[in-house]
Amino acid sequence: AQKITQTQPGMFVQEKEAVTLDCTYDTSDPSYGLFWYKQPSSGEMIFLIYQGSYDQQNATEGRYSLNFQKARKSANLVISASQLGDSAMYFCAITGAGSYQLTFGKGTKLSVIP
Amino acid sequence: DTAVSQTPKYLVTQMGNDKSIKCEQNLGHDTMYWYKQDSKKFLKIMFSYNNKELIINETVPNRFSPKSPDKAHLNLHINSLELGDSAVYFCASSPGHLGQPQHFGDGTRLSIL
């Protein structure tokens, strides 16, 4: 069984500041993948970034980076230079090799303050 | 071009009715999924199909029946709708390999009166 824990129901960040959204996971799969998705108030699910369990380097995609600490089973999302458009729900999710499904955390609602 | 499209976007209906949600993907992916997002925004897998074969069937009432006529389509039929079925239903697709993200449709908001 796989599990994702996001302990921050809501976060506030000042515009142009960086923010870290926490994600810890639990899995018995030796090979797995971690994803972050953004869900704005309009409702669509937008893929942001992926980290594989065997990747040597932390993933980065533009202003998004993933602080992956395998021993601690954490995969925190870092958003640099926050923008008003970053206000949304953010979901961390995990999938295992051979398992097609995503197991999601409960999400963190990020609000960017001007 | 919409990669994963769901119809309808909104569905308002009475308790006890039967309804269907359609999903189509034009990404050439082998695997398609249905997720349910409840009122607290929690997303949970319901079904997954790989090349038209059911591979995941989570604990979902048998009033919910997925159908995949071909690799590009995965429809969801719901019988005898109940108040608790009110939610947003997302269709998604992926190549089915670790490391490849799932692409989501825009969701169908189902409201039961």
Side-chain angles (χ1 to χ4, degrees), chain A residues 31 37 39 43 50 91 100 102, chain B residues 33 35 37 55 90 96 99 102:
Chain A
S31 181
Y37 283 83
Q39 187 177 38
Y50 166 79
F91 293 97
Y100 294 99
L102 283 173
Chain B
Y33 315 80
Y35 289 87
Q37 186 173 40
I55 54 172
F90 284 97
Q102 293 184 16

Side-chain angles (χ1 to χ4, degrees), chain A residues 31-33 35 37 39 41-45 47 50 53 89 91 95-106, chain B residues 9 31 33 35 37 40-45 48 50 55-56 58 90 96-106:
Chain A
S31 181
Y32 52 88
F35 298 82
Y37 283 83
Q39 187 177 38
S41 57
S42 50
E44 69 270 28
M45 294 289 290
F47 165 70
Y50 166 79
S53 57
M89 284 287 289
F91 293 97
T95 188
S99 163
Y100 294 99
Q101 69 189 73
L102 283 173
T103 299
F104 285 89
K106 292 185 177 181
Chain B
K9 190 170 175 66
T31 310
Y33 315 80
Y35 289 87
Q37 186 173 40
K40 295 184 179 179
K41 300 288 189 183
F42 185 59
L43 276 150
K44 190 171 181 192
I45 185 76
S48 175
N50 181 255
I55 54 172
I56 293 171
E58 292 294 308
F90 284 97
H97 304 302
L98 189 65
Q100 298 296 319
Q102 293 184 16
H103 296 258
F104 284 76
D106 287 343

Side-chain angles (χ1 to χ4, degrees), chain B residues 17-34:
Chain B
N17 283 351
D18 303 338
K19 289 293 177 186
S20 292
I21 306 171
K22 294 187 176 182
C23 180
E24 176 182 3
Q25 55 97 2
N26 63 5
L27 296 166
H29 289 164
D30 288 336
T31 310
M32 295 185 73
Y33 315 80
W34 279 109

Side-chain angles (χ1 to χ4, degrees), chain B residues 19-110:
Chain B
K19 289 293 177 186
S20 292
I21 306 171
K22 294 187 176 182
C23 180
E24 176 182 3
Q25 55 97 2
N26 63 5
L27 296 166
H29 289 164
D30 288 336
T31 310
M32 295 185 73
Y33 315 80
W34 279 109
Y35 289 87
K36 179 180 179 180
Q37 186 173 40
D38 63 23
S39 58
K40 295 184 179 179
K41 300 288 189 183
F42 185 59
L43 276 150
K44 190 171 181 192
I45 185 76
M46 298 175 71
F47 302 103
S48 175
Y49 270 73
N50 181 255
N51 276 321
K52 301 193 299 174
E53 283 192 31
L54 180 65
I55 54 172
I56 293 171
N57 183 355
E58 292 294 308
T59 308
V60 174
N62 58 14
R63 297 182 295 102
F64 290 79
S65 53
K67 283 194 170 52
S68 181
D70 56 57
K71 205 171 76 166
H73 296 83
L74 180 62
N75 304 323
L76 184 65
H77 188 76
I78 316 169
N79 289 328
S80 303
L81 281 157
E82 300 177 357
L83 289 175
D85 297 333
S86 294
V88 180
Y89 293 85
F90 284 97
C91 177
S93 74
S94 78
H97 304 302
L98 189 65
Q100 298 296 319
Q102 293 184 16
H103 296 258
F104 284 76
D106 287 343
T108 295
R109 182 173 294 277
L110 174 62

Side-chain angles (χ1 to χ4, degrees), chain A residues 81-92:
Chain A
S82 296
Q83 302 172 355
L84 294 178
D86 293 335
S87 293
M89 284 287 289
Y90 288 81
F91 293 97
C92 182

